[in-house]
Amino acid sequence: MSTPEVRPAPVSVPQLGRMKAEGRRISMLTCYDATFAFAMDRAGVDTVLVGDSLGMVVQGHDSTLPVTVDHIVYHSAAVARGLSRALLVADMPFLSYATPGRALDAARRLMAEGGAAMVKLEGAGPMLVVIAALAARDVPVCAHLGLTPQSVMKLGGFRVQGREAAAAQRLREDARAVQQAGAALLVLECVPRTLAAQITTELEIPVIGIGAGAGCDGQVLVMHDLLGLRGRHRTPRFVKDFLVGADGVEAAFAAYVAAVREGRFPAEEHGFD
Ligand code: KIV
């Protein structure tokens, strides 16, 4: 007689807050299809992000701007079918959340059709009313600050943010503001490690870093980077190839989860001053 498989309970939004409070680091990876999602789930990845990095690593564009709500819904639904434990976060594409009304429509599609448990959007300032509108309708929101790839045309490239004192101060204020508006999670991308650690300490909500040092509550990487896949784009220095020395893709995901949990990734060389 075979014993029934015991499935771990799905990760919930409140659980992420408890993980921060208990000092347990959160692992996040981007994912775009069901098979990789299944492997990530088995490897113990806590949160899976259908990022609009899809535009670059899957569709072959030079930026995330061409990604649409339809694209994210399609990939999110596929990823959802591969998951049983990890929390699914879906990115809101460029200008799909320019007004609270548009954001609510997009979030409805990402959650109802795409199976997401949380939506992610970039920026503070004019986005605060959008975050508040979503949160007021019980849509869990992940904010994204620092290097915000949807602003690449304005920023003039993919660059570290918050190095000057005034920019660092603005980032700290923006982080507090997105929390105040109702965000339940924050991704900080390409921010000096000391600033990211300071923001992490100042906020009650968990902070997930990418190129933001080891002082965050968790880490996220683009799946292709973690697997050492080189496309047309330059590999950022905060990336580590976890396939090196691992016995296959699922083992590479498990090695990443263990390294994040134990505080071994990111190392000093993956961060910025
Ligand atoms: O789109 C994406 O993959 C992201 C991560 C880099 C955080 O936003």
Side-chain angles (χ1 to χ4, degrees):
M1 199 175 78
S2 63
T3 38
E5 195 187 343
V6 181
R7 289 190 170 194
V11 175
S12 66
V13 175
Q15 193 174 332
L16 298 179
R18 286 197 294 276
M19 287 176 79
K20 174 174 180 127
E22 292 163 10
R24 287 189 288 140
R25 293 189 190 83
I26 300 163
S27 56
M28 179 187 271
L29 280 180
T30 70
C31 189
Y32 317 92
D33 75 25
T35 306
F36 280 112
F38 186 70
M40 286 181 194
D41 210 63
R42 282 169 50 114
V45 176
D46 299 309
T47 52
V48 168
L49 168 67
V50 180
D52 59 0
S53 49
L54 154 72
M56 298 175 76
V57 296
V58 176
Q59 297 174 336
H61 296 293
D62 284 330
S63 78
T64 60
L65 304 190
V67 175
T68 67
V69 173
D70 281 344
H71 296 156
I72 297 283
V73 167
Y74 174 87
H75 286 274
S76 187
V79 168
R81 288 190 278 272
L83 299 181
S84 40
R85 174 183 173 271
L87 183 108
L88 177 52
V89 184
D91 245 340
M92 304 267 263
F94 181 54
L95 291 185
S96 67
Y97 51 98
T99 64
R102 291 195 64 186
L104 287 165
D105 284 345
R108 187 201 62 74
R109 293 204 56 207
L110 299 184
M111 294 177 79
E113 298 172 40
M118 176 180 258
V119 300
K120 179 165 84 58
L121 57 82
E122 297 181 8
M127 291 305 116
L128 296 175
V129 287
V130 172
I131 295 172
L134 291 167
R137 269 78 172 186
D138 297 335
V139 175
V141 177
C142 174
H144 182 155
L145 297 174
L147 170 55
T148 46
Q150 292 175 10
S151 308
V152 64
M153 296 306 173
K154 182 178 154 203
L155 297 174
F158 299 100
R159 301 207 166 87
V160 179
Q161 301 294 309
R163 273 190 162 137
E164 304 76 25
Q169 181 57 26
R170 214 167 34 246
L171 207 50
R172 288 175 62 197
E173 286 165 12
D174 284 349
R176 279 197 291 268
V178 296
Q179 171 177 276
Q180 177 70 27
L185 193 66
L186 170 63
V187 166
L188 266 188
E189 179 166 354
C190 287
V191 170
R193 56 170 81 77
T194 45
L195 174 61
Q198 187 177 27
I199 291 172
T200 303
T201 308
E202 286 170 355
L203 294 197
E204 282 166 29
I205 61 173
V207 176
I208 309 292
I210 174 164
C216 300
D217 300 305
Q219 300 293 327
V220 56
L221 277 183
V222 169
M223 180 190 83
H224 294 63
D225 291 338
L226 174 145
L227 295 176
L229 290 167
R230 310 267 175 269
R232 284 190 298 116
H233 307 107
R234 194 174 50 84
T235 303
R237 74 178 251 197
F238 54 77
V239 161
K240 178 174 171 183
D241 180 350
F242 281 86
L243 200 50
V244 172
D247 187 16
V249 168
E250 195 177 310
F253 293 153
Y256 167 72
V257 170
V260 170
R261 278 196 193 142
E262 292 159 20
R264 289 183 285 106
F265 178 79
E268 196 70 7
E269 73 259 26
H270 301 120
F272 300 101
D273 294 319

